[in-house]
Amino acid sequence: MTESADGRRRRRRVTGVAVPLSILLGSLLVWQSSQAAYSATTNSAVNTWNSGSVTNITNTMTGGVNWTVSNIRPDSTDTTIAYPFAPDNVYTGETRCVEVVYTGGAAKIRMYATLGGNAALQGALIVKVDRGTGATNSACASYTTAADVYNTLGTAAGGVLSGFPATFNSSSGTEWTVTGNDSAWYRISWLMPAGTGNASSGQSATATFTWEAQVN
């Protein structure tokens, strides 16, 4: 039986539609199988890390000079610094107070010194530092002590300028712990003690005190 021209055209149309339909059906089956799996998840709460901050630390002598004393000499009687401290005069010893103001988060603040000049004079000068509150000026009016920072009662280098802590890590004994913005007064005294020998005569020594804050 001979197929008519119309029949051949209808068969071509059916065949041409069959391939796209098979692709579509296959895609639907894949989509349905991917959606059929059961699953469950659980998430933690949002984790957040905020770094601590050291905003600022200043002192009331910043940019100024605490002491420039010429012709220092041994005191006539004093060999240690004890309060009330009354050396012969400003050429044998003196006391100053400086306020340290901290702005920031919880931190530890330590005091250390950078020294220069003659080692014999550094080893002869006695230094005492304590921390407190209430001072109203650099002369320590109304000051109340709260803690020793560096005193003259230690042995070996302790109490002399040459033994003062030289870095943050070496000055843990001077530590002042703060929980936020705070301020404190530091009372610094020096003395050329009675009986000091001639090795320190005619020499010069310097000290730059540093207060450093690091977050806990």
Side-chain angles (χ1 to χ4, degrees), residues 45-77:
V46 175
N47 296 288
T48 304
W49 288 265
N50 295 311
S51 62
S53 65
V54 173
T55 306
N56 197 23
I57 184 167
T58 60
N59 73 79
T60 53
M61 296 283 185
T62 298
V65 176
N66 292 337
W67 286 291
T68 301
V69 186
S70 300
N71 197 31
I72 64 172
R73 49 190 180 269
D75 196 80
S76 61
T77 58

Side-chain angles (χ1 to χ4, degrees), residues 179-215:
T179 56
N181 297 352
D182 210 341
S183 65
W185 284 88
Y186 283 75
R187 178 169 59 176
I188 306 170
S189 300
W190 68 271
L191 172 70
M192 175 66 81
T196 299
N198 290 334
S200 60
S201 176
Q203 303 298 328
S204 177
T206 64
T208 299
F209 294 112
T210 299
W211 289 266
E212 181 175 336
Q214 291 192 8
V215 295

